[in-house]
Amino acid sequence: MQFVEEIVVDEFLPTVRSMLAGKLREQGLTQSEVAEVLGISQSAVSKYAHGDVTINDRIAEDERVEALVEDLGAGLAAGDVTPVQALIEIEVLIRDLESGGDLLAQLHEEAVPELADHGSGFRVHDPESDLRTSERVLSSLRRGLRILENASGFARLIPAVGSNLVACTPDAEDVDDVAGVPGRIFDVKGQTTVPSDPEFGVSEHVATVLLAAREHGTDAAAAINIAYDPDLLAALSDAGHVTAEFDEGDDVASSVGAAIEEQPEATVLYQTGGMGIEPLIYVLGTDAESVADTVRSLL
């Protein structure tokens, strides 16, 4: 009898730790620093470095694993990602890979052939639970924020009211189902500043725009507000985005809804301001990373 968790412990974790240790060493960390970041002994780091730990090539060559190791390695080395955040993101990936038919489920079936005929998923921890769903949203949002923090010149796109990158759960109904940055993202002397980790229920304005767009038929699950500039709007249009204008009135949700109904394919919303109202552009996307990538492409 072998559980999928044993595949995780025996195959996945040694592989990912070895990859992360190598990535951190490439970033210039010493063995002791790598050991501290990963919460393992220096002797373990030495074994990883000398190839004394067997890794699973199928896991190591999986594009999702490679991308996460690359992202976490850079973030941990720079101090942009804490070990706890890294742990959560690895945990989210594990649960995704445990889904029926995915990599860890396949390895589990191969280790226990009788399971292949059982016809059920092997998700001891349901990846569709509210907790797992929230973890995935926050994980995506943190990656999106790191893209913006590392994008040279993003600070100049931040409006006076501040920007906020938000993302929501698949069945989001109100602002409590939308995660964002408490206090918003600000330009501090030309430096993009994210004051704290993302949380649910902390964004009202950008969250309202996102929810209204979703309510009227878009598949957007993330959004960001940036400073209005006709040249930026033109660049977004040239890149294939459909733009739609809305009036920034007392009822933002209704105004956004009307704009979406008129232009259902819109992925960029904007309003040109008014008395006491700053003009803004809102970029929508399927996840926080894609929204951040869209904004980065403007720089």
Side-chain angles (χ1 to χ4, degrees):
M1 180 184 296
Q2 186 176 35
F3 295 98
V4 69
E5 281 78 6
E6 293 178 77
I7 301 293
V8 172
V9 172
D10 296 339
E11 304 282 344
F12 183 87
L13 292 181
T15 299
V16 171
R17 280 178 176 150
S18 179
M19 294 171 70
L20 265 179
K23 185 62 61 178
L24 291 171
R25 290 288 282 149
E26 289 176 10
Q27 296 287 334
L29 274 68
T30 65
Q31 281 195 4
S32 61
E33 289 171 334
V34 172
E36 182 178 356
V37 168
L38 298 183
I40 58 179
S41 66
Q42 286 193 51
S43 61
V45 175
S46 178
K47 289 180 180 179
Y48 289 136
H50 291 90
D52 296 334
V53 176
T54 302
I55 67 171
N56 184 301
D57 290 336
R58 286 170 62 185
I59 294 174
E61 293 169 5
D62 185 274
E63 291 182 357
R64 293 160 295 182
V65 174
E66 290 180 334
L68 184 61
V69 168
E70 182 74 27
D71 195 30
L72 293 183
L76 287 166
D80 297 331
V81 177
T82 68
V84 171
Q85 289 171 341
L87 178 63
I88 291 173
E89 296 198 23
I90 293 172
E91 172 80 1
V92 170
L93 179 58
I94 288 172
R95 299 313 163 199
D96 286 343
L97 295 179
E98 281 182 356
S99 299
D102 215 324
L103 179 60
L104 291 179
Q106 292 171 13
L107 294 173
H108 192 204
E109 289 182 6
E110 291 166 12
V112 187
E114 296 84 355
L115 289 172
D117 299 323
H118 186 53
S120 63
F122 311 115
R123 296 170 289 179
V124 176
H125 303 287
D126 181 8
E128 300 307 320
S129 70
D130 290 343
L131 178 58
R132 296 300 175 200
T133 298
S134 297
E135 285 180 352
R136 281 198 293 271
V137 171
L138 291 172
S139 176
S140 172
L141 194 49
R142 281 191 290 267
R143 288 194 291 271
L145 288 168
R146 285 201 293 276
I147 290 172
L148 296 177
E149 286 181 294
N150 295 325
S152 176
F154 171 67
R156 68 179 178 82
L157 302 186
I158 299 175
V161 295
S163 288
N164 212 335
L165 177 63
V166 305
C168 68
T169 58
D171 57 352
E173 296 181 352
D174 56 40
V175 295
D176 288 334
D177 300 319
V178 182
V181 178
R184 299 188 182 183
I185 307 166
F186 285 102
D187 170 10
V188 178
K189 296 182 179 179
Q191 180 68 42
T192 300
T193 302
V194 180
S196 56
D197 288 339
E199 299 175 15
F200 280 91
V202 298
S203 170
E204 183 172 350
H205 190 78
V206 184
T208 298
V209 171
L210 174 61
L211 291 169
R214 287 170 57 83
E215 185 178 348
H216 288 80
T218 76
D219 61 356
I224 191 173
N225 66 315
I226 59 176
Y228 175 82
D229 184 319
D231 291 338
L232 292 177
L233 207 58
L236 287 165
S237 182
D238 290 343
H241 291 275
V242 177
T243 66
E245 183 177 4
F246 71 96
D247 294 325
E248 182 73 76
D250 293 332
D251 191 342
V252 174
S254 295
S255 298
V256 169
I260 294 295
E261 288 179 0
E262 186 173 334
Q263 189 59 268
E265 303 301 318
T267 52
V268 173
L269 304 171
Y270 68 97
Q271 48 87 10
T272 55
M275 184 67 69
I277 298 175
E278 185 177 11
L280 296 169
I281 294 174
Y282 299 83
V283 179
L284 309 179
T286 55
D287 54 49
E289 297 104 312
S290 65
V291 170
D293 280 334
T294 295
V295 172
R296 180 171 57 180
S297 71
L298 298 172
L299 302 175

